[in-house]
Amino acid sequence: MVRRAQPERTCVGCRQRAPASELLRIVAIGDEAGYSLRPDPRRRLPGRGANMHPDPACFALAVRRRAFGRALRITEVLDHGVLAEHVDAPTTTSGQPDRARVASRVGRPT
């Protein structure tokens, strides 16, 4: 029996590698108002994608680090409201995610 290797991706929030099936794919959809981030759980939307754990702490880290723009190669301001609703995170972040949750994800003590 042949075992297939699962593709791995890096979370733009916590920077940890994980199987692609555990990460949420994010794409930027452009219109006349600018770009908005959309979740792509079925991994079917066209265009360049970024991957993130479906976790509010990873979302907050990615927003604070401005990682979505770099990963998607977009220099404009991105609207992340729809993505925040999908991840159940607030649309405005203070830049201070839950440290215990992030530390457990990254493997550091709090």
Side-chain angles (χ1 to χ4, degrees), residues 3-88:
R3 279 203 168 297
R4 296 186 108 180
Q6 289 188 3
E8 284 193 346
R9 303 287 184 262
T10 302
C11 173
V12 295
C14 66
R15 304 294 298 155
Q16 295 292 309
R17 292 188 61 78
S21 59
E22 293 178 12
L23 299 174
L24 176 65
R25 182 172 185 259
I26 314 298
V27 295
I29 305 294
D31 60 10
E32 58 276 348
Y35 286 95
S36 64
L37 298 176
R38 300 291 166 94
D40 183 17
R42 295 184 339 177
R43 307 179 87 73
R44 299 286 184 254
L45 293 176
R48 186 171 186 84
N51 294 281
M52 178 187 76
H53 288 105
D55 181 3
C58 285
F59 174 75
L61 276 173
V63 170
R64 189 182 86 208
R65 294 177 49 241
R66 297 183 182 119
F68 292 116
R70 279 193 307 277
L72 298 170
R73 297 183 182 169
I74 296 175
T75 57
E76 298 177 27
V77 175
L78 300 170
D79 174 28
H80 57 310
V82 175
L83 180 59
E85 290 175 13
H86 184 81
V87 179
D88 293 326

